[in-house]
Amino acid sequence: MERGTKEAVPGAPRSGIDAVRPETLRIGGLRLEGVSRAGEETWLRVHPPGLAFDVGRGALQLAGSACLFITHGHLDHALGVPYVLSQRSLHHEAGTRVFCPRAVAGAMRDLVAAAARLEEVDYDYELVPFAPGDRVDVGRDLAVEAFATDHVVPSLGYHLWRRRRRLRAELRDRSGEEIAALRAAGQEVTETVEDLALSYCGDTGPGVFDREPRLFGAGVLVVECTFVGEGLEEKGRRYKHLHLADLAARAGRFDNRAIVLTHLSRRHRRSDLEEEIRRVLPELAERVHVLIGERG
Ligand SMILES: [Zn+2]
Ligand SMILES: [Zn+2]
């Protein structure tokens, strides 16, 4: 057989692997767009402010994202960093900030540097090593904070906080006229509060719920669910991924407006997960969404 023909090569992957199209969810004033399949690719664009949580193997849809938050070094989440930087430099986008766990920052810098040498260009970017508790503003009223997750390699999750002004709590019973009078007298009548708009966990085992119990109060909780069904609980534990049973065991604690499940193993179909959600999480089913991408 000549090189370059399209005939199947024994042992090679089937050429008929379906392309995966991103899917979009709109929840609580946020638009989430992404693809997430274990071992294949995981990226999520969150708007506002248009940032990326993980970049998959390099999604074109992320070329507009000025901030890339990488959860860990596995290539289905992180390989796309140089590609997104390359696309952004092609389109003359402004500088990009790439956030990643401190322990993988050196390797990430090397990966990007190798890509820049291949292309003979310089990417306008800043690499920011992050640790749990580190925070950065990503918009006028938005900030991202890192938290610890529970994976087999150094890993982080990210919270998206939204600041808003509200009437100070002690003034809530006052009339409009009284408040106007206080304001006219130069008193501060409002205060800033922060809401946890969204939490993104990346890859994680169930230890994340002990390390970061604030997850249960996030408006939108984006959490992986790699495995469903009997017999796979041990696999989840070994590779530090979540099984639907891990979520069911904590069903009563989720105060979230929405729970978005990602990172489903390729051994499962979407319908397998949806059926299991109805069976083992009936009390949460209305609030649970699946975001894994659509097979084309
Ligand atoms: Zn993964
Ligand atoms: Zn991983």
Side-chain angles (χ1 to χ4, degrees):
M1 195 198 311
E2 279 180 31
R3 280 184 66 154
T5 60
K6 289 198 173 160
E7 286 171 64
V9 179
R14 285 182 304 118
S15 59
I17 292 174
D18 293 335
V20 179
R21 283 177 289 128
E23 59 184 316
T24 302
L25 291 173
R26 287 182 174 76
I27 311 167
L30 295 172
R31 180 162 56 86
L32 315 184
E33 178 189 15
V35 171
S36 182
R37 275 286 193 166
E40 207 165 292
E41 58 178 325
T42 287
W43 59 269
L44 185 71
R45 185 152 199 240
V46 177
H47 197 92
L51 58 73
F53 290 131
D54 288 327
V55 293
R57 292 170 304 185
L60 272 172
Q61 290 85 346
L62 300 178
S65 296
C67 291
L68 315 178
F69 291 90
I70 307 303
T71 57
H72 65 296
H74 284 155
L75 294 187
D76 47 326
H77 297 250
L79 180 64
V81 168
Y83 182 73
V84 173
L85 294 176
S86 172
Q87 286 296 307
R88 286 179 63 73
S89 81
L90 206 62
H91 298 303
H92 307 292
E93 297 280 2
T96 312
R97 286 184 294 176
V98 179
F99 301 84
C100 68
R102 192 174 296 281
V104 306
M108 181 62 77
R109 185 169 280 117
D110 292 346
L111 175 67
V112 173
R117 284 207 309 280
L118 281 169
E119 297 204 286
E120 297 192 359
V121 294
D122 281 321
Y123 306 132
D124 178 11
Y125 90 109
E126 179 191 358
L127 184 65
V128 187
F130 246 28
D134 285 349
R135 241 180 196 259
V136 61
D137 282 341
V138 290
R140 198 169 53 81
D141 56 356
L142 295 169
V144 169
E145 177 190 342
F147 61 88
T149 60
D150 173 30
H151 199 34
V152 290
V153 292
S155 59
L156 292 174
Y158 296 102
H159 294 306
L160 178 65
W161 292 97
R162 186 160 43 201
R163 286 186 289 271
R164 61 187 168 87
R165 301 287 295 175
R166 70 166 184 207
L167 193 64
R168 275 168 46 206
E170 62 270 30
L171 298 179
R172 258 182 234 146
D173 298 332
R174 304 288 190 89
S175 71
E177 283 157 19
E178 284 177 298
I179 289 163
L182 287 171
R183 189 183 281 126
Q187 270 212 30
E188 185 53 75
V189 297
T190 61
E191 61 188 359
T192 300
V193 289
E194 275 194 324
D195 298 318
L196 185 47
L198 179 141
S199 297
Y200 174 79
C201 295
D203 284 2
T204 188
V208 72
F209 295 112
D210 302 322
R211 294 178 187 182
E212 192 55 34
R214 291 181 294 176
L215 293 174
F216 294 110
V220 180
L221 173 62
V222 183
V223 65
E224 69 137 279
C225 180
T226 302
F227 299 113
V228 298
E230 280 173 31
L232 292 170
E233 294 87 347
E234 174 52 31
K235 218 175 175 61
R237 270 190 288 278
R238 185 154 12 115
Y239 296 105
K240 296 279 187 170
H241 286 300
L242 287 168
H243 185 285
L244 191 63
D246 297 315
L247 301 177
R250 296 162 177 83
R253 299 177 66 191
F254 295 100
D255 281 334
N256 318 87
R257 171 202 291 248
I259 301 167
V260 178
L261 302 184
T262 60
H263 207 263
L264 185 65
S265 165
R266 282 174 288 182
R267 72 172 65 218
H268 302 305
R269 290 176 307 221
R270 172 189 289 266
S271 56
D272 298 335
L273 176 57
E274 289 173 343
E275 277 167 30
E276 281 294 285
I277 290 168
R278 283 191 290 274
R279 196 174 71 81
V280 305
L281 278 178
E283 65 276 49
L284 285 181
E286 275 196 2
R287 286 185 278 146
V288 175
H289 306 259
V290 176
L291 193 153
I292 55 176
E294 291 163 6
R295 297 276 158 188

